[in-house]
Coordinates of all heavy atoms in Angstrom, one line a residue:
A137 N 95.2 98.4 118.2 CA 93.8 98.8 118.5 C 93.8 100.1 119.2 O 94.6 100.4 120.0 CB 93.1 97.8 119.3
R138 N 92.8 100.9 118.9 CA 92.6 102.2 119.5 C 91.2 102.4 120.0 O 90.3 101.9 119.4 CB 93.0 103.4 118.6 CG 94.4 103.4 118.2 CD 94.7 104.7 117.4 NE 96.1 104.6 117.0 CZ 96.6 105.3 116.0 NH1 95.8 106.1 115.3 NH2 97.8 105.3 115.7
I139 N 91.1 103.2 121.1 CA 89.8 103.5 121.5 C 89.7 105.0 121.5 O 90.4 105.7 122.2 CB 89.5 103.0 123.0 CG1 89.6 101.5 122.9 CG2 88.2 103.4 123.5 CD1 89.5 100.8 124.3
N140 N 88.8 105.5 120.7 CA 88.6 107.0 120.6 C 87.2 107.3 120.8 O 86.3 106.5 120.7 CB 88.9 107.4 119.1 CG 90.4 107.3 118.8 OD1 91.2 107.4 119.6 ND2 90.7 107.1 117.5
S141 N 86.9 108.5 121.2 CA 85.6 109.0 121.5 C 85.4 110.4 120.8 O 86.4 111.1 120.6 CB 85.3 109.2 122.9 OG 85.3 107.9 123.6
L142 N 84.2 110.7 120.4 CA 83.9 111.9 119.7 C 82.6 112.5 120.3 O 81.7 111.8 120.4 CB 83.8 111.6 118.2 CG 83.4 112.8 117.3 CD1 84.5 113.8 117.2 CD2 83.0 112.3 116.0
L143 N 82.6 113.8 120.6 CA 81.5 114.5 121.2 C 80.7 115.0 120.0 O 81.1 115.9 119.3 CB 81.9 115.6 122.1 CG 80.7 116.3 122.8 CD1 79.8 115.4 123.6 CD2 81.2 117.4 123.7
L144 N 79.5 114.5 119.8 CA 78.6 115.0 118.7 C 77.2 115.3 119.3 O 76.6 114.5 120.0 CB 78.4 113.9 117.6 CG 79.5 113.5 116.8 CD1 79.2 112.3 115.9 CD2 80.0 114.6 115.9
T145 N 76.8 116.5 119.2 CA 75.5 117.0 119.6 C 75.2 116.5 121.0 O 74.2 115.9 121.3 CB 74.4 116.6 118.6 OG1 74.4 115.2 118.6 CG2 74.6 117.1 117.3
N146 N 76.1 116.9 122.0 CA 75.9 116.6 123.4 C 75.8 115.2 123.8 O 75.3 114.9 124.9 CB 74.6 117.4 123.9 CG 74.8 118.9 123.7 OD1 75.9 119.4 123.9 ND2 73.7 119.5 123.4
H147 N 76.4 114.3 123.0 CA 76.5 112.9 123.5 C 77.8 112.3 122.8 O 78.2 112.7 121.8 CB 75.3 112.0 123.2 CG 75.1 111.7 121.7 ND1 74.4 112.6 120.9 CD2 75.4 110.6 121.0 CE1 74.4 112.1 119.7 NE2 75.0 110.9 119.7
W148 N 78.4 111.3 123.6 CA 79.7 110.8 123.1 C 79.4 109.6 122.2 O 78.5 108.8 122.4 CB 80.5 110.3 124.3 CG 81.0 111.4 125.1 CD1 80.5 112.0 126.2 CD2 82.2 112.1 124.8 NE1 81.3 113.0 126.6 CE2 82.4 113.1 125.8 CE3 83.2 112.1 123.8 CZ2 83.4 114.0 125.8 CZ3 84.2 112.9 123.9 CH2 84.3 113.9 124.9
V149 N 80.2 109.5 121.2 CA 80.1 108.4 120.2 C 81.4 107.6 120.3 O 82.5 108.1 120.2 CB 79.9 108.9 118.8 CG1 79.9 107.8 117.8 CG2 78.6 109.7 118.7
N150 N 81.3 106.3 120.4 CA 82.5 105.4 120.4 C 83.0 105.1 119.0 O 82.3 104.8 118.1 CB 82.1 104.1 121.1 CG 83.2 103.1 121.3 OD1 84.3 103.4 120.9 ND2 83.0 102.0 122.0
R151 N 84.3 105.4 118.9 CA 85.0 105.2 117.6 C 86.1 104.1 117.7 O 87.1 104.2 117.1 CB 85.6 106.5 117.1 CG 84.6 107.6 116.7 CD 85.3 108.7 116.1 NE 86.4 109.3 116.9 CZ 87.4 109.9 116.4 NH1 87.6 110.1 115.1 NH2 88.4 110.4 117.2
S152 N 85.8 103.1 118.5 CA 86.8 102.0 118.7 C 87.0 101.3 117.3 O 86.1 101.1 116.6 CB 86.4 101.0 119.7 OG 86.2 101.7 120.9
F153 N 88.3 100.9 117.1 CA 88.5 100.2 115.9 C 89.8 99.3 116.0 O 90.7 99.6 116.8 CB 88.6 101.1 114.6 CG 89.8 102.0 114.7 CD1 91.0 101.7 114.0 CD2 89.8 103.2 115.4 CE1 92.1 102.5 114.0 CE2 90.8 104.1 115.4 CZ 92.0 103.7 114.8
V154 N 90.0 98.4 115.1 CA 91.2 97.7 114.9 C 91.6 97.8 113.5 O 90.8 97.4 112.6 CB 91.0 96.2 115.3 CG1 92.3 95.4 115.0 CG2 90.7 96.0 116.8
R155 N 92.8 98.2 113.2 CA 93.2 98.4 111.9 C 94.4 97.4 111.6 O 95.3 97.3 112.3 CB 93.8 99.8 111.6 CG 94.3 100.0 110.2 CD 95.0 101.4 110.0 NE 94.1 102.5 110.4 CZ 93.1 103.0 109.7 NH1 92.9 102.6 108.5 NH2 92.4 104.0 110.2
M156 N 94.3 96.7 110.5 CA 95.4 95.9 110.0 C 96.3 96.8 109.2 O 95.9 97.3 108.2 CB 94.9 94.7 109.1 CG 96.0 93.8 108.6 SD 96.9 92.9 109.8 CE 95.6 91.8 110.5
D157 N 97.5 97.0 109.7 CA 98.3 98.1 109.1 C 99.2 97.6 108.0 O 99.1 98.1 106.9 CB 99.1 98.8 110.2 CG 99.8 100.0 109.8 OD1 99.2 100.8 109.0 OD2 100.9 100.3 110.3
N158 N 100.1 96.7 108.3 CA 101.0 96.1 107.3 C 101.0 94.6 107.4 O 101.2 94.0 108.5 CB 102.5 96.7 107.6 CG 102.6 98.1 107.3 OD1 102.3 98.6 106.2 ND2 103.1 98.8 108.2
V159 N 100.9 94.0 106.2 CA 100.9 92.5 106.1 C 101.8 92.2 104.9 O 101.7 92.7 103.9 CB 99.5 92.0 105.9 CG1 99.5 90.5 105.8 CG2 98.5 92.5 106.9
S160 N 102.6 91.1 105.2 CA 103.5 90.7 104.1 C 103.5 89.2 104.0 O 103.5 88.5 105.1 CB 105.0 91.1 104.4 OG 105.1 92.5 104.3
F161 N 103.4 88.6 102.9 CA 103.5 87.2 102.6 C 104.5 86.9 101.6 O 104.6 87.7 100.6 CB 102.2 86.7 102.1 CG 101.0 86.8 103.0 CD1 100.0 87.8 102.8 CD2 100.8 85.9 104.1 CE1 99.0 88.0 103.6 CE2 99.8 86.1 105.0 CZ 98.8 87.1 104.7
T162 N 105.4 85.9 101.8 CA 106.3 85.5 100.8 C 106.3 84.0 100.6 O 106.2 83.3 101.6 CB 107.8 85.9 101.2 OG1 107.8 87.3 101.4 CG2 108.8 85.5 100.2
Y163 N 106.3 83.6 99.4 CA 106.3 82.1 99.0 C 107.6 81.8 98.2 O 107.8 82.5 97.2 CB 105.1 81.8 98.2 CG 105.1 80.3 97.7 CD1 104.9 79.3 98.6 CD2 105.4 80.1 96.4 CE1 104.9 78.0 98.1 CE2 105.4 78.8 95.9 CZ 105.1 77.8 96.8 OH 105.2 76.5 96.3
S164 N 108.4 80.9 98.7 CA 109.5 80.5 98.0 C 109.2 79.3 97.1 O 108.7 78.3 97.6 CB 110.7 80.1 99.0 OG 111.1 81.2 99.7
V165 N 109.4 79.3 95.8 CA 109.1 78.3 94.9 C 110.1 77.1 95.2 O 111.3 77.3 95.3 CB 109.2 78.8 93.4 CG1 108.9 77.7 92.5 CG2 108.3 80.0 93.2
P166 N 109.6 75.9 95.2 CA 110.4 74.7 95.5 C 111.6 74.6 94.5 O 111.3 74.7 93.3 CB 109.5 73.6 95.5 CG 108.1 74.1 95.7 CD 108.2 75.5 95.1
S167 N 112.7 74.2 94.9 CA 113.9 74.1 94.1 C 113.7 72.9 93.1 O 114.2 73.0 92.0 CB 115.2 73.8 94.9 OG 115.1 72.7 95.7
S168 N 112.9 71.9 93.5 CA 112.7 70.8 92.5 C 112.0 71.3 91.2 O 112.2 70.8 90.1 CB 111.9 69.7 93.2 OG 110.7 70.2 93.6
F169 N 111.1 72.3 91.4 CA 110.4 72.8 90.3 C 111.3 73.8 89.5 O 111.2 73.8 88.2 CB 109.1 73.6 90.8 CG 108.4 74.3 89.7 CD1 107.5 73.6 88.8 CD2 108.5 75.7 89.5 CE1 106.8 74.2 87.8 CE2 107.8 76.3 88.5 CZ 107.0 75.6 87.6
L170 N 112.2 74.5 90.2 CA 113.0 75.5 89.5 C 114.1 74.8 88.7 O 114.5 75.4 87.7 CB 113.6 76.4 90.5 CG 112.6 77.3 91.3 CD1 113.3 78.1 92.4 CD2 111.8 78.2 90.4
K171 N 114.6 73.7 89.1 CA 115.6 73.0 88.3 C 115.2 72.7 86.9 O 116.0 72.7 86.0 CB 116.0 71.7 89.0 CG 116.8 71.9 90.2 CD 117.2 70.6 90.9 CE 118.0 70.8 92.2 NZ 118.3 69.6 92.9
K172 N 113.9 72.4 86.7 CA 113.4 72.1 85.4 C 113.5 73.3 84.5 O 113.6 73.2 83.3 CB 111.9 71.6 85.4 CG 111.7 70.4 86.2 CD 110.3 70.1 86.4 CE 110.1 68.9 87.3 NZ 108.6 68.6 87.6
L173 N 113.5 74.5 85.1 CA 113.5 75.8 84.3 C 114.9 76.4 84.3 O 115.0 77.6 83.9 CB 112.5 76.8 85.0 CG 111.1 76.3 85.0 CD1 110.2 77.3 85.8 CD2 110.5 76.1 83.6
S174 N 115.9 75.7 84.9 CA 117.3 76.2 85.0 C 117.3 77.5 85.8 O 118.0 78.5 85.4 CB 117.9 76.4 83.6 OG 117.9 75.2 82.9
I175 N 116.6 77.6 86.9 CA 116.6 78.8 87.8 C 117.0 78.4 89.1 O 116.6 77.3 89.6 CB 115.1 79.4 87.9 CG1 114.7 79.9 86.5 CG2 115.1 80.5 88.9 CD1 113.2 80.4 86.4
Q176 N 117.9 79.1 89.7 CA 118.5 78.8 91.1 C 117.5 79.1 92.2 O 117.4 78.3 93.2 CB 119.8 79.6 91.3 CG 120.9 79.1 90.5 CD 122.2 79.8 90.8 OE1 122.2 80.7 91.6 NE2 123.3 79.4 90.1
G177 N 116.7 80.2 92.1 CA 115.8 80.5 93.2 C 114.7 81.5 92.7 O 115.0 82.2 91.8
A178 N 113.6 81.4 93.3 CA 112.5 82.3 93.0 C 111.5 82.4 94.2 O 111.3 81.5 94.9 CB 111.7 81.8 91.7
S179 N 111.0 83.6 94.4 CA 110.0 83.8 95.4 C 109.0 84.9 94.9 O 109.3 85.7 94.1 CB 110.7 84.3 96.7 OG 111.3 85.5 96.5
I180 N 107.8 84.7 95.4 CA 106.7 85.7 95.1 C 106.3 86.3 96.5 O 106.1 85.6 97.5 CB 105.5 84.9 94.5 CG1 106.0 84.2 93.2 CG2 104.4 85.8 94.2 CD1 105.0 83.2 92.7
S181 N 106.1 87.6 96.5 CA 105.8 88.3 97.7 C 104.5 89.2 97.5 O 104.3 89.7 96.3 CB 106.9 89.2 98.2 OG 107.3 90.1 97.3
L182 N 103.8 89.4 98.5 CA 102.6 90.3 98.5 C 102.7 91.1 99.8 O 102.8 90.6 100.9 CB 101.3 89.5 98.5 CG 100.0 90.3 98.6 CD1 99.9 91.2 97.5 CD2 98.8 89.3 98.7
N183 N 102.7 92.4 99.6 CA 102.7 93.4 100.7 C 101.4 94.2 100.6 O 101.1 94.7 99.6 CB 103.9 94.3 100.6 CG 105.2 93.5 100.7 OD1 105.4 92.7 101.7 ND2 106.1 93.7 99.8
M184 N 100.8 94.3 101.8 CA 99.5 95.1 101.9 C 99.6 96.1 103.0 O 100.1 95.8 104.1 CB 98.3 94.2 102.2 CG 98.1 93.1 101.1 SD 96.8 92.0 101.5 CE 97.7 90.9 102.6
R185 N 99.2 97.3 102.7 CA 99.2 98.4 103.7 C 97.7 98.8 103.9 O 97.0 99.1 102.9 CB 100.0 99.6 103.3 CG 100.0 100.7 104.3 CD 101.2 101.6 104.2 NE 101.0 102.8 104.9 CZ 101.2 102.9 106.2 NH1 101.4 101.8 106.9 NH2 101.0 104.1 106.8
N186 N 97.2 98.8 105.1 CA 95.9 99.2 105.5 C 94.8 98.4 104.7 O 93.9 98.9 104.1 CB 95.6 100.6 105.3 CG 96.4 101.5 106.2 OD1 96.6 101.1 107.3 ND2 96.8 102.6 105.7
P187 N 94.9 97.0 104.7 CA 93.9 96.3 103.9 C 92.5 96.3 104.4 O 91.6 96.2 103.7 CB 94.5 94.8 103.9 CG 95.4 94.8 105.1 CD 95.9 96.1 105.3
F188 N 92.3 96.5 105.8 CA 91.0 96.6 106.3 C 91.0 97.2 107.7 O 92.0 97.3 108.4 CB 90.3 95.2 106.3 CG 90.9 94.2 107.2 CD1 90.6 94.1 108.5 CD2 91.8 93.3 106.6 CE1 91.2 93.2 109.3 CE2 92.4 92.4 107.4 CZ 92.1 92.3 108.8
V189 N 89.8 97.7 108.1 CA 89.6 98.2 109.4 C 88.3 97.6 110.0 O 87.3 97.5 109.3 CB 89.4 99.8 109.4 CG1 89.0 100.3 110.8 CG2 90.5 100.5 108.8
L190 N 88.4 97.1 111.2 CA 87.3 96.5 111.9 C 86.7 97.5 112.9 O 87.4 97.9 113.8 CB 87.6 95.2 112.6 CG 88.3 94.1 111.8 CD1 88.7 93.0 112.7 CD2 87.3 93.6 110.8
T191 N 85.4 97.9 112.6 CA 84.9 99.0 113.5 C 83.3 98.9 113.4 O 82.8 98.5 112.4 CB 85.4 100.4 113.2 OG1 84.8 101.3 114.1 CG2 85.0 100.7 111.7
K192 N 82.7 99.4 114.4 CA 81.2 99.6 114.4 C 80.9 101.0 114.0 O 79.7 101.4 113.8 CB 80.6 99.3 115.7 CG 80.6 97.8 116.0 CD 80.0 97.5 117.3 CE 80.1 96.0 117.7 NZ 79.4 95.7 118.9
W193 N 81.9 101.9 113.8 CA 81.7 103.2 113.4 C 81.2 103.3 112.0 O 81.8 102.7 111.1 CB 83.1 103.9 113.5 CG 83.2 105.3 113.0 CD1 83.7 105.8 111.9 CD2 82.7 106.5 113.7 NE1 83.6 107.1 111.8 CE2 83.0 107.6 112.9 CE3 82.0 106.7 114.9 CZ2 82.6 108.9 113.2 CZ3 81.7 108.0 115.2 CH2 82.0 109.1 114.4
A194 N 80.0 103.9 111.8 CA 79.3 103.8 110.5 C 79.8 104.9 109.5 O 79.3 105.0 108.4 CB 77.9 103.9 110.8
C195 N 80.7 105.8 109.9 CA 81.0 106.9 109.1 C 82.4 106.8 108.4 O 83.1 107.8 108.4 CB 81.0 108.2 109.9 SG 79.3 108.5 110.6
G196 N 82.8 105.7 108.0 CA 84.1 105.5 107.3 C 85.2 105.3 108.2 O 85.1 104.7 109.2
D197 N 86.3 105.9 107.8 CA 87.6 105.7 108.6 C 87.5 106.5 109.9 O 87.4 107.7 109.9 CB 88.7 106.2 107.8 CG 90.1 105.9 108.4 OD1 90.2 105.6 109.6 OD2 91.1 106.0 107.7
P198 N 87.5 105.8 111.1 CA 87.4 106.5 112.4 C 88.6 107.4 112.7 O 88.5 108.3 113.6 CB 87.3 105.4 113.4 CG 87.8 104.2 112.7 CD 87.7 104.4 111.2
E199 N 89.7 107.3 112.0 CA 90.9 108.2 112.3 C 90.9 109.4 111.4 O 91.6 110.3 111.7 CB 92.2 107.4 112.0 CG 92.7 106.6 113.1 CD 94.1 106.0 112.8 OE1 94.3 105.5 111.7 OE2 94.9 106.1 113.8
N200 N 90.1 109.4 110.4 CA 90.2 110.5 109.4 C 88.8 111.2 109.2 O 88.0 110.9 108.4 CB 90.7 110.0 108.0 CG 91.0 111.1 107.1 OD1 90.7 112.3 107.4 ND2 91.5 110.7 105.9
L201 N 88.4 112.1 110.2 CA 87.1 112.7 110.2 C 87.0 113.7 109.1 O 85.9 114.0 108.6 CB 86.8 113.3 111.5 CG 86.7 112.3 112.7 CD1 86.5 113.0 114.0 CD2 85.6 111.3 112.4
D202 N 88.1 114.3 108.6 CA 88.0 115.3 107.5 C 87.5 114.7 106.2 O 86.8 115.3 105.5 CB 89.3 116.0 107.3 CG 89.8 116.8 108.5 OD1 88.9 117.2 109.3 OD2 91.0 117.0 108.7
N203 N 87.9 113.5 106.0 CA 87.5 112.8 104.7 C 87.3 111.3 105.1 O 88.1 110.5 104.8 CB 88.6 112.9 103.7 CG 88.2 112.4 102.3 OD1 87.0 112.0 102.2 ND2 89.0 112.5 101.3
P204 N 86.2 111.0 105.7 CA 85.9 109.7 106.3 C 85.9 108.5 105.3 O 86.0 107.4 105.7 CB 84.6 109.8 107.0 CG 83.9 111.0 106.4 CD 85.0 111.9 105.9
D205 N 85.7 108.8 104.0 CA 85.6 107.7 103.0 C 87.0 107.4 102.5 O 87.2 106.5 101.6 CB 84.7 108.1 101.9 CG 83.3 108.2 102.3 OD1 82.9 107.5 103.2 OD2 82.5 109.1 101.8
Y206 N 88.0 108.1 102.9 CA 89.4 108.0 102.4 C 90.3 107.3 103.3 O 90.4 107.7 104.5 CB 90.0 109.4 102.0 CG 91.4 109.3 101.6 CD1 91.7 108.9 100.3 CD2 92.5 109.6 102.4 CE1 93.0 108.8 99.8 CE2 93.8 109.5 102.0 CZ 94.0 109.2 100.7 OH 95.3 109.1 100.2
S207 N 90.8 106.1 103.0 CA 91.8 105.4 103.8 C 92.7 104.8 102.8 O 92.4 103.9 102.0 CB 91.1 104.2 104.6 OG 92.1 103.5 105.3
L208 N 94.0 105.3 102.8 CA 95.0 104.9 101.8 C 95.3 103.5 102.0 O 95.7 103.0 103.0 CB 96.3 105.8 102.0 CG 97.4 105.5 101.0 CD1 97.0 105.8 99.6 CD2 98.6 106.3 101.4
K209 N 95.1 102.7 100.9 CA 95.4 101.3 100.9 C 96.4 101.1 99.7 O 96.4 101.8 98.7 CB 94.2 100.4 100.6 CG 93.1 100.5 101.6 CD 91.9 99.7 101.1 CE 90.9 99.5 102.1 NZ 90.3 100.4 102.9
S210 N 97.4 100.2 99.9 CA 98.3 99.9 98.8 C 98.6 98.4 98.9 O 98.6 97.8 100.0 CB 99.6 100.7 98.9 OG 100.3 100.3 100.1
Y211 N 98.7 97.8 97.7 CA 99.1 96.4 97.5 C 100.2 96.4 96.5 O 100.2 97.0 95.5 CB 97.9 95.7 96.9 CG 96.6 95.8 97.7 CD1 95.7 96.8 97.6 CD2 96.4 94.8 98.7 CE1 94.6 96.9 98.4 CE2 95.2 94.9 99.5 CZ 94.3 96.0 99.3 OH 93.2 96.1 100.1
T212 N 101.2 95.6 96.9 CA 102.4 95.4 96.1 C 102.7 93.9 95.9 O 102.8 93.2 96.9 CB 103.7 96.0 96.7 OG1 103.4 97.4 97.0 CG2 104.9 96.0 95.8
L213 N 102.8 93.5 94.6 CA 103.1 92.1 94.3 C 104.5 92.1 93.7 O 104.9 92.9 92.9 CB 102.1 91.6 93.3 CG 102.3 90.2 92.9 CD1 102.0 89.3 94.1 CD2 101.3 89.9 91.8
G214 N 105.4 91.2 94.2 CA 106.8 91.2 93.8 C 107.2 89.8 93.3 O 106.7 88.8 93.9
L215 N 108.1 89.7 92.4 CA 108.7 88.5 92.0 C 110.2 88.6 92.0 O 110.7 89.6 91.4 CB 108.2 88.2 90.5 CG 108.8 86.9 89.9 CD1 108.4 85.7 90.6 CD2 108.3 86.9 88.4
N216 N 110.9 87.7 92.7 CA 112.3 87.7 92.8 C 112.9 86.4 92.2 O 112.5 85.3 92.6 CB 112.8 87.8 94.2 CG 114.3 87.9 94.4 OD1 115.0 88.0 93.4 ND2 114.7 87.9 95.7
I217 N 113.7 86.5 91.1 CA 114.2 85.4 90.4 C 115.8 85.4 90.4 O 116.4 86.5 90.1 CB 113.7 85.3 89.0 CG1 112.2 85.1 88.9 CG2 114.4 84.2 88.2 CD1 111.6 85.2 87.6
T218 N 116.4 84.3 90.8 CA 117.9 84.2 90.8 C 118.2 83.2 89.7 O 117.8 82.0 89.7 CB 118.4 83.7 92.1 OG1 118.0 84.6 93.1 CG2 120.0 83.7 92.1
L219 N 119.0 83.7 88.7 CA 119.4 82.8 87.6 C 120.6 82.1 87.8 O 121.5 82.4 88.5 CB 119.4 83.6 86.3 CG 118.2 84.3 85.8 CD1 118.4 85.2 84.6 CD2 117.1 83.3 85.5

């Protein structure tokens, strides 16, 4: 979490925010299910970068004043199979 302030037209504006930066989830498929498919192991993963920002700042991304509507987000879905 960060607390930032910005001076606009002779008054201060609060730009406090909380950003979820990196989140990863991994699910390992149960071996009882994989035996039916002749697979030794399998997992599914989801990685998210900058999925959301919590703020009362009404002008987009509080860290990026040059382009306030731009906040790089990325989502990666992965599948790992061991035969």
Side-chain angles (χ1 to χ4, degrees):
R138 293 190 183 158
I139 298 175
N140 291 331
S141 297
L142 177 67
L143 181 61
L144 292 174
T145 62
N146 298 325
H147 69 277
W148 289 95
V149 176
N150 185 351
R151 295 188 303 150
S152 299
F153 67 95
V154 175
R155 179 186 307 277
M156 181 64 67
D157 192 33
N158 290 307
V159 181
S160 296
F161 298 103
T162 302
Y163 173 75
S164 297
V165 180
S167 59
S168 60
F169 177 75
L170 296 175
K171 285 181 183 178
K172 298 173 189 176
L173 301 174
S174 300
I175 296 174
Q176 290 184 356
S179 63
I180 301 169
S181 62
L182 173 64
N183 298 307
M184 298 175 280
R185 178 154 169 80
N186 294 326
F188 63 87
V189 177
L190 302 175
T191 184
K192 292 182 180 179
W193 176 253
C195 299
D197 187 346
E199 276 190 313
N200 191 353
L201 294 177
D202 294 333
N203 190 0
D205 295 326
Y206 176 76
S207 178
L208 181 64
K209 295 176 172 52
S210 67
Y211 301 91
T212 306
L213 182 64
L215 175 63
N216 184 5
I217 297 176
T218 304
L219 300 175

